[in-house]
Amino acid sequence: MLFAPVLEIVPMAPGDLPGGDLVFTSEHGAIRAAALGLRDRRAFAVGPRTGAVARALGFDCADGPGQAAELPEWLMTQGAGPILHLHGQHVTGDLAGALRELGVLAEARVVYDQVSRAPGAAAIRAASGPGAILPLFSARTARLLADGLEQVDDSAQVLSISSAVARAWPLGGVQHIASTPDAAGMAALVAALVAPAVER
């Protein structure tokens, strides 16, 4: 196994922050909120994994439905608001905008950047060779990895966290989509692919 991330998380200063309940759509949002001294605020996480990180950091945090698209309606049922969404420089969708359309006071602030990193020579060799397993957790990751590789072996197993991420992958290989759009779903998919090889 080779660990070679194509993104590096870099903290960003958000300036003055409005009041309100916090919403985390990533673990990094929770980490930055803790660094900014916001533990006294009520918090809501997109799903259990992010919620667990937030609680470990000292937040009173409830777990959401697991998908960002379902967050606005779910937050309405929780009586949340006003809302402050802390997120990265690169996002898909506009959570604060969707909440405002539902009548909830909501703002968003960028608190970290996801800076692209080119894969190194060892990563390129491993990922381009036969039998490679390539886990893709976001559409941007898919595009960045593809740009660094340019081509993959037809036997490569391309694991996407969602159908949207699968559509962003421009190269070949055998495509698989996780049964649930989270880390647990991806881990189960990796295990299912690796287990037959281990048993042999």
Side-chain angles (χ1 to χ4, degrees):
M1 179 180 292
L2 178 63
F3 182 67
V6 294
L7 294 176
E8 179 181 1
I9 303 301
V10 178
M12 294 181 64
D16 292 337
L17 293 173
D21 298 331
L22 303 177
V23 173
F24 306 135
T25 48
S26 74
E27 299 170 27
H28 302 296
I31 292 167
R32 289 291 294 131
L36 291 166
L38 303 177
R39 290 185 179 88
D40 59 334
R41 301 197 192 189
R42 186 168 62 155
F44 301 89
V46 64
R49 182 179 176 89
T50 299
V53 170
R55 287 186 292 276
L57 290 166
F59 288 96
D60 176 12
C61 186
D63 295 341
Q67 298 190 54
E70 299 175 3
L71 266 179
E73 295 286 353
W74 178 78
L75 287 166
M76 292 281 288
T77 69
Q78 303 300 304
I83 292 293
L84 176 59
H85 178 207
L86 301 179
H87 60 80
Q89 182 72 41
H90 303 272
V91 295
T92 56
D94 179 7
L95 176 60
L99 285 165
R100 288 193 294 268
E101 289 182 1
L102 293 173
V104 179
L105 293 175
E107 296 191 47
R109 293 290 187 276
V110 175
V111 292
Y112 63 91
D113 195 3
Q114 308 101 310
V115 180
S116 61
R117 293 173 52 183
I124 292 174
R125 285 195 301 271
S128 301
I133 297 177
L134 309 176
L136 306 174
F137 284 82
S138 71
R140 184 164 179 248
T141 299
R143 291 189 293 268
L144 289 172
L145 181 60
D147 287 346
L149 297 179
E150 297 185 354
Q151 65 179 11
V152 296
D153 192 87
D154 290 341
S155 66
Q157 305 294 309
V158 183
L159 283 52
S160 295
I161 198 168
S162 69
S163 56
V165 173
R167 289 193 295 272
W169 177 250
L171 303 182
V174 182
Q175 184 70 253
H176 305 269
I177 299 175
S179 58
T180 57
D182 51 30
M186 290 290 278
L189 189 52
V190 171
L193 290 172
V194 171
V198 172
E199 290 170 2
R200 287 198 300 271

